[in-house]
Amino acid sequence: MKNFSTKYLKSDIKSGLVVFLVALPLCLGIALASGAPLFAGIISGVVAGIVVGMLSDSQLSVSGPAAGLTAIVLAAIASLGSFEAFLLAGFLAGAMQIIFGFLKAGVLSNYLPSNVIEGMLAAIGIIIILSQLPHAVGFDEMHEGDYFYINATGEHQIFQTLSNMVNYIHPGALIVVLASLAILIAFMKVPFLMKMKSLPGALIAVLAGIAINEVFKLTGSSLAIGQDHLVSLPIPESMNQFWSQFSLPDFSQIGNSEIWVVAITIATVASIETLLCIEAADKMDPLKRYTRTNRELKAQGIGNMISSLIGGIPITSVIVRTSANVASGGRTKIAAISHGVFLMIAVITIPFFLNKIPLASLAAVLLVVGYKLASPRIFVHMWKNSRKFQFIPFVITVVAIVMTDLLVGVGIGLAVSIYFILRGNVKLAYFFKKDKHTAGETINMELAQEVSFLNKAAIKQTFAHLPENSEVVIDASNTIYIDYDVLQLIKEFANDGSRDKNISIQLVGFRKEYKIDNSTTHVTSVVSDNEGPVSPDKVVNGTKVPSNILKVTELALSTI
């Protein structure tokens, strides 16, 4: 297996175990929030881990049921009339993703600014913390993966749940989460525990949570956590019942146009979410590797086709699982594959034991993951080490994702980032030594290497604000490209636009193909109001140049 190294085997398997603990309730919760059978979430989790993990080029990304698609899946199952019809849409969506891969659509991820990716990671960290706080205190009104749900009254589900949880704190769950957090922090801070690389602190925290709750039950304490606050995995009573949990797509509806609309929607959204996660995973990678995104789209497509063929819901690369993988020491794709293997073995062999796990213990694991993603140090780092045009889009991306959803938030952050990029480009059209100019002095405008249509507005504004009676030298000696519209603007101003302000203009360094006469001085209204004498012109390089232009002071300017 490419890039596989045995030196990471132990840490990868340990990380896979931690990701399995995180993924288990997510698989069930996302299926529940999507209106699909609970086992459909398990199926997609196993396929995502094993199949996509093996085919993916990413060494750190972990795939699973798509939290960002819950609303789409819920609406699609209802509108299509059956889960089997929806599975056909998922199968076709997978085929479309493979086509996207061959069309090299993965290149889109290269155009995502790093500040937007950083903001996305921090926002996901905040969302993880907000969504897990209710589970931490035993208030499980919101399903796992239902991160971005906004109800009919327009209230964000997370904030509504947070406001309600205060009245429903379960003391037993609170004890479990505090104990689990203490264990997790100890494994990160206590020296001898930190050296125990083969023993994941998350596993010990979960086992401790089970033990504490079992003691509460045995003693008949009111602190005992009920089944509503534990993992709830379906347990088949026979092999026939187990196999009945798998479903096949209804291929008889291949001609249904609604199926194709849903398929296109799923393929598009799932691909965008995957590309976002892959870019984030590469950014988190301690070994600084890069993923071939076109291959990733093909891997996701194959995974979605297989998942849909056996009754699973749509798959994407998932930031929560990926973040947990990196935080737990995962370094190769063995971690993602092993998490899928653990998931498959556990649901087949020990579902009754898994159903003893308190959601509060799993919440503790995710709270630590969320804190690492949204640590205050990240905000301080972004503030100190970036300019405002990088920090502002970062913060806006964070707020937008938390207040809306992943794709909308990233879109807003991207728009703000593009605005600052365009604004920066506009300011780089030309260079002055001084910011302010007074009437009568010489102004040297040195054009940048490339002057595009984006710079037209800035140059136009500059021409409009030039002081009267100025002497202006526009130097294009260092330019490689000047947009046609900008050239026309310069020509028009040189020939006509400077008349009203009595501005003298000299054009220098313009290429022949620009069709502008170099060394030609455009003098307008140099005769005074009282018709006084005008200084004689002099000849420079065979061209008449008014004496006032010869007084131009050369300004030290540099191009970027």
Side-chain angles (χ1 to χ4, degrees):
M1 204 176 299
K2 186 180 177 183
N3 295 331
F4 168 67
S5 175
T6 54
K7 72 177 181 179
Y8 297 120
L9 186 60
K10 287 185 179 179
S11 63
D12 284 337
I13 293 177
K14 181 190 79 169
S15 181
L17 183 57
V18 174
V19 177
F20 151 69
L21 293 172
V22 170
L24 178 62
L26 286 174
C27 289
L28 298 171
I30 292 170
L32 189 61
S34 302
L38 291 179
F39 198 69
I42 299 296
I43 291 171
S44 59
V46 172
V47 172
I50 299 175
V51 177
V52 178
M54 292 178 68
L55 297 177
S56 172
D57 189 52
S58 175
Q59 297 298 313
L60 295 180
S61 171
V62 183
S63 298
L69 286 171
T70 51
I72 295 173
V73 175
L74 182 65
I77 293 174
S79 65
L80 296 176
S82 70
F83 184 61
E84 289 73 19
F86 171 77
L87 292 178
L88 176 59
F91 178 82
L92 294 173
M96 291 176 187
Q97 286 185 291
I98 296 174
I99 294 172
F100 291 165
F102 280 109
L103 292 176
K104 302 189 183 304
V107 72
L108 294 174
S109 66
N110 295 328
Y111 297 98
L112 295 169
S114 61
N115 50 5
V116 174
I117 297 299
E118 293 280 5
M120 179 181 70
L121 289 172
I124 293 297
I126 293 171
I127 287 171
I128 290 172
I129 292 171
L130 294 177
S131 64
Q132 293 304 312
L133 284 174
H135 295 296
V137 299
F139 182 59
D140 305 305
E141 183 184 75
M142 189 175 73
H143 306 309
E144 292 284 356
D146 214 3
Y147 301 137
F148 304 112
Y149 177 71
I150 298 175
N151 64 23
T153 62
E155 293 178 299
H156 200 300
Q157 180 77 356
I158 287 181
F159 301 119
Q160 183 186 16
T161 304
L162 285 172
S163 64
N164 292 337
M165 79 176 190
V166 179
N167 299 319
Y168 295 92
I169 293 176
H170 190 293
L174 195 58
I175 292 172
V176 167
V177 76
L178 291 175
S180 299
L181 282 172
I183 292 170
L184 290 167
I185 294 170
F187 269 83
M188 292 187 291
K189 299 293 184 182
V190 179
F192 85 91
L193 290 176
M194 293 172 64
K195 293 178 181 178
M196 300 173 66
K197 301 292 185 182
S198 59
L199 189 63
L203 177 61
I204 303 303
V206 170
L207 292 176
I210 295 173
I212 292 171
N213 193 45
E214 289 302 308
V215 170
F216 288 158
K217 287 181 179 179
L218 290 172
T219 57
S221 172
S222 60
L223 296 174
I225 302 172
Q227 188 59 47
D228 290 345
H229 306 307
L230 305 177
V231 169
S232 182
L233 191 66
I235 303 176
E237 297 179 358
S238 64
M239 283 303 296
N240 286 337
Q241 192 174 0
F242 173 76
W243 290 114
S244 68
Q245 296 178 101
F246 294 87
S247 303
L248 293 173
D250 183 2
F251 285 99
S252 67
Q253 295 202 44
I254 192 73
N256 186 343
S257 60
E258 282 192 62
I259 297 283
W260 288 91
V261 171
V262 172
I264 293 170
T265 304
I266 292 173
T268 303
V269 176
S271 297
I272 293 172
E273 287 203 7
T274 291
L275 292 176
L276 289 171
C277 183
I278 289 297
E279 193 68 19
D282 286 351
K283 197 160 190 64
M284 290 187 287
D285 187 359
L287 303 180
K288 303 305 176 187
R289 294 161 292 189
Y290 296 98
T291 300
R292 289 176 290 177
T293 50
N294 294 316
R295 177 172 169 176
E296 182 66 28
L297 289 177
K298 296 173 188 175
Q300 293 289 333
I302 293 171
N304 270 317
M305 290 180 75
I306 293 174
S307 176
S308 298
L309 278 174
I310 57 178
I313 54 180
I315 293 167
T316 67
S317 182
V318 183
I319 294 178
V320 177
R321 290 174 176 79
T322 302
S323 304
N325 182 29
V326 176
S328 303
R331 294 296 178 266
T332 76
K333 60 172 65 181
I334 292 298
I337 296 170
S338 62
H339 119 272
V341 172
F342 287 136
L343 192 58
M344 180 178 65
I345 293 173
V347 298
I348 293 174
T349 59
I350 54 170
F352 57 89
F353 181 75
L354 296 177
N355 285 348
K356 294 180 181 292
I357 300 176
L359 292 177
S361 284
L362 297 175
V365 176
L366 285 168
L367 285 172
V368 171
V369 171
Y371 179 79
K372 288 182 177 180
L373 285 174
S375 169
R377 288 197 302 269
I378 294 171
F379 288 82
V380 173
H381 169 77
M382 290 297 294
W383 172 256
K384 289 184 176 178
N385 296 284
S386 64
R387 303 175 187 176
K388 66 179 182 179
F389 67 81
Q390 291 176 318
F391 182 75
I392 292 175
F394 163 77
V395 172
I396 289 177
T397 301
V398 172
V399 174
I401 291 176
V402 172
M403 297 303 295
T404 58
D405 63 37
L406 181 63
L407 295 184
V408 172
V410 168
I412 293 172
L414 191 58
V416 174
S417 185
I418 290 172
Y419 165 76
F420 278 97
I421 290 171
L422 295 180
R423 188 179 176 191
N425 268 288
V426 164
K427 291 183 177 180
L428 294 177
Y430 53 85
F431 307 93
F432 283 114
K433 187 176 182 180
K434 296 179 181 179
D435 291 327
K436 295 182 179 179
H437 305 279
T438 57
E441 76 174 309
T442 297
I443 300 168
N444 193 323
M445 289 178 61
E446 185 174 347
L447 300 181
Q449 268 194 332
E450 294 187 9
V451 184
S452 72
F453 71 95
L454 298 174
N455 307 125
K456 180 180 176 181
I459 294 175
K460 193 173 183 179
Q461 282 292 99
T462 300
F463 286 162
H465 291 89
L466 285 172
E468 295 182 0
N469 306 313
S470 301
E471 298 171 357
V472 180
V473 179
I474 303 177
D475 187 353
S477 301
N478 296 314
T479 58
I480 297 173
Y481 166 78
I482 304 178
D483 181 75
Y484 174 79
D485 288 345
V486 176
L487 281 173
Q488 288 300 110
L489 179 66
I490 294 172
K491 286 181 184 180
E492 290 168 3
F493 184 75
N495 293 328
D496 301 303
S498 56
R499 292 183 185 277
D500 293 339
K501 291 188 176 182
N502 191 31
I503 296 174
S504 298
I505 299 177
Q506 184 181 16
L507 305 178
V508 178
F510 285 83
R511 298 182 187 179
K512 290 182 179 179
E513 56 265 32
Y514 294 153
K515 297 180 179 179
I516 291 182
D517 296 330
N518 286 305
S519 301
T520 299
T521 302
H522 302 264
V523 184
T524 60
S525 305
V526 295
V527 179
S528 63
D529 292 338
N530 58 10
E531 301 292 337
V534 179
S535 299
D537 295 343
K538 294 186 179 181
V539 176
V540 179
N541 294 329
T543 304
K544 281 187 177 183
V545 181
S547 58
N548 57 354
I549 283 296
L550 297 178
K551 298 176 183 177
V552 169
T553 304
E554 186 172 327
L555 301 178
L557 302 168
S558 59
T559 58
I560 292 179

